[in-house]
Amino acid sequence: MSDPSRNRKPRIRAALAVAAVTGLGATALTALPAAAAGEAVTVQYRQSATGSDQVEPWLKVVNTGSSSLPLSQVKVRYYFKADAGASYTYACSWAVKGCANLTGTFGTLAHPTATADRYLEVGFTAGAGSLAAGADTGDMQLRFHRSDWQPLNQNDDYSFGPAQTAYTAWSKVTATVAGVPVWGTSPTGDAPTPTPTPTDPTTPPPAGAALFDDFDYTGHTDPAVNAHGWSVRSNAGGPGVPGATWAPENVTFAKEGTNSIMNLRTSTAGTGESTRHTEILTRATKFRNGTYAARVRFSDAPLSGPDGDRVVQTFFTINDLKAPMADDYAEYDFEYLPNGGWGEPANILYTTSWETYRPDPWEAVNQHSESRTSHDGWHDLVLTIDDSAIVYYVDGREFGRHDARYLPERPMSINFNQWLIDLAGQTSTTPRAYDQKVDYVLHVKDQVLTPAQVAAKVGAYRSAGTAFEDTVPAAP
């Protein structure tokens, strides 16, 4: 979904930062889900509208197995043929389980057909609970439309059933449980596959140059932070609220269970002077092709005080813009906006690949993918870059695939930051603070790893007791 003109204010980084938001990825730290042997569901479907402005697939998931099923393990896909160049927006009109407990994400098929090249994947948060044997979810009244509200044609969509005006089992919608296909027939060549697939290696890949950090530090002044190549930002400047401070003391480290966690806290009392942003980045700009991964906890709500600030929570790679519209600029972002911003009214997760930009007058050349749903909680983020494409994964599933024209020409740094776009989202002067947590970061130079291989490599580091490694050579 390319949109070079997306209206985003430039992220101008001052001295220390090579600055912006990064797109690194991570994978589950716990054991991958076992095959869902014995689990069974049926998906019922009815169409609510055959009009030309939006698609309205109404769905029910039925547990046809013999035991209770956590809905958080269930994913349902509705397949359609996208209009050329169009992006789409998901919405939930009403659901028995609660719209807040449903997620909707668009994906691209690896093997498009005449009736399907995209899909809407519907999932459930933990708040949806479990489904007893024989029970169903009740109505899930879903819809999606072109983001520009232009007319669309449902008649060439694989999953569309114009005659289905009452709920019935519908095999053109597929379902997986814990990544294992249990229902439906997908378009030819695009069956939902387990995560990982049976052929997806889960053993660590061959040894190669890599950066791994478990963030096992005592605080931002721990000498090891600097020795391991990190810089905790303290210099003034953008992005974000004018007059805000970048506060190194708000980057802290602690144990959660057996894992060491880095926490970035951003706080404000409604003025520029009271606003504290946070950022940590590698001093070296030596990272280019390969795999980037991180496990990150996004937060929808502040720790206390009023909600609503337009906060940006990130993981990204970036190099410096040498001149407006310079073609050797590069930046790859995961950016979560829990309260919206940049024209978005509510929570949205972006992945963005940048070719270049001009700060004034603002002009951007980038490609992005997005999901307009809550991503509160821990997520495994993976980004791979080779000589042909940039691919983003969230929680083991492909989230966005961007074109070769956005590949990096120069090495980059690795960054995490959290900051406020402005103070217009919440004008109260009551103090409030937001936390973004990071479990680990990984970069493997010049190797494209699957999410399962990332998980295996991280597991191998931890099994060996290795909290830090950096064998990535300096850029020539």
Side-chain angles (χ1 to χ4, degrees):
M1 291 178 284
S2 178
D3 184 4
S5 63
R6 178 152 66 92
N7 182 21
R8 296 174 50 181
K9 295 184 179 179
R11 279 75 60 82
I12 300 172
R13 308 298 193 234
L16 197 54
V18 207
V21 249
T22 198
L24 274 63
T27 316
L29 304 176
T30 55
L32 292 163
E39 303 288 5
V41 302
T42 296
V43 180
Q44 297 181 356
Y45 159 82
R46 61 160 290 193
Q47 60 83 7
S48 173
T50 58
S52 62
D53 60 347
Q54 58 185 336
V55 181
E56 296 188 34
W58 291 14
L59 304 172
K60 289 182 182 179
V61 175
V62 184
N63 182 358
T64 54
S66 58
S67 59
S68 180
L69 174 65
L71 281 170
S72 60
Q73 295 184 5
V74 177
K75 301 286 188 184
V76 177
R77 286 186 180 181
Y78 180 97
Y79 302 88
F80 64 98
K81 182 71 172 178
D83 297 334
S87 63
Y88 292 84
T89 299
Y90 157 83
C92 172
S93 297
W94 186 79
V96 172
K97 290 291 184 181
C99 285
N101 293 320
L102 272 61
T103 63
T105 304
F106 294 100
T108 302
L109 296 181
H111 306 286
T113 70
T115 58
D117 55 11
R118 300 290 303 280
Y119 59 82
L120 168 67
E121 183 172 86
V122 180
F124 301 85
T125 70
S130 296
L131 200 59
D136 65 63
T137 58
D139 280 356
M140 296 186 292
Q141 299 179 8
L142 312 178
R143 55 189 172 90
F144 64 91
H145 56 83
R146 285 183 51 145
S147 299
D148 58 8
W149 281 102
Q150 292 297 307
L152 48 76
N153 176 24
Q154 296 190 64
N155 292 318
D156 60 355
D157 293 349
Y158 176 84
S159 295
F160 180 53
Q164 304 304 314
T165 57
Y167 279 112
T168 187
W170 192 242
S171 63
K172 288 190 174 183
V173 175
T174 61
T176 60
V177 175
V180 178
V182 296
W183 171 260
T185 303
S186 63
T188 303
D190 276 293
T193 53
T195 305
T197 63
T199 58
D200 187 7
T202 57
T203 54
L211 165 70
F212 172 74
D213 201 329
D214 217 6
F215 295 116
D216 190 7
Y217 302 109
T218 59
H220 76 281
T221 59
D222 186 333
V225 173
N226 182 71
H228 290 169
W230 294 103
S231 177
V232 182
R233 184 175 176 181
S234 61
N235 60 293
V241 175
T245 299
W246 293 85
E249 67 274 12
N250 283 5
V251 178
T252 59
F253 304 87
K255 290 286 187 180
E256 290 192 3
T258 59
N259 291 341
S260 50
I261 302 295
M262 177 172 67
N263 190 72
L264 281 68
R265 178 161 296 174
T266 293
S267 59
T268 188
T271 65
E273 294 74 17
S274 68
T275 301
R276 301 289 183 268
H277 294 155
T278 46
E279 180 166 23
I280 184 169
L281 64 153
T282 62
R283 293 194 306 277
T285 53
K286 62 179 182 178
F287 308 98
R288 189 174 171 182
N289 285 13
T291 299
Y292 300 83
R295 183 167 170 81
V296 177
R297 191 188 192 286
F298 298 129
S299 299
D300 277 359
L303 300 174
S304 61
D307 197 0
D309 289 292
R310 293 169 179 168
V311 62
V312 184
Q313 301 171 347
T314 76
F315 171 43
F316 64 102
T317 65
I318 191 170
N319 59 32
D320 56 327
L321 182 72
K322 293 184 176 296
M325 303 302 286
D327 61 6
D328 63 349
Y329 176 74
E331 178 183 346
Y332 307 95
D333 305 335
F334 287 94
E335 296 171 303
Y336 181 54
L337 283 61
N339 293 314
W342 297 324
E344 291 291 332
N347 41 32
I348 186 168
L349 175 64
Y350 284 114
T351 59
T352 308
S353 301
W354 288 80
E355 172 62 19
T356 190
Y357 72 91
R358 182 196 346 262
D360 188 22
W362 176 244
E363 181 180 357
V365 181
N366 62 42
Q367 185 175 6
H368 71 274
S369 304
E370 72 277 337
S371 173
R372 292 176 174 84
T373 189
S374 172
H375 282 76
D376 184 69
W378 284 103
H379 294 283
D380 302 317
L381 311 178
V382 173
L383 162 69
T384 64
I385 303 174
D386 60 16
D387 290 330
S388 61
I390 305 110
V391 185
Y392 298 87
Y393 299 87
V394 176
D395 297 331
R397 295 186 178 278
E398 185 174 317
F399 184 92
R401 180 179 293 265
H402 297 168
D403 303 337
R405 66 175 293 196
Y406 302 98
L407 292 172
E409 289 86 4
R410 290 190 290 121
M412 302 168 288
S413 65
I414 295 174
N415 306 47
F416 297 90
N417 66 16
Q418 185 180 220
W419 48 282
L420 302 183
I421 297 172
D422 53 37
L423 297 172
Q426 174 53 261
T427 58
S428 170
T429 57
T430 301
R432 60 268 189 191
Y434 296 82
D435 280 359
Q436 173 188 339
K437 297 181 178 181
V438 183
D439 189 5
Y440 73 86
V441 65
L442 172 71
H443 170 71
V444 180
K445 178 179 168 60
D446 296 332
Q447 293 185 35
V448 171
L449 308 187
T450 65
Q453 286 178 309
V454 169
K457 192 166 184 69
V458 171
Y461 278 122
R462 288 180 162 167
S463 295
T466 301
F468 176 82
E469 176 184 86
D470 186 4
T471 58
V472 178

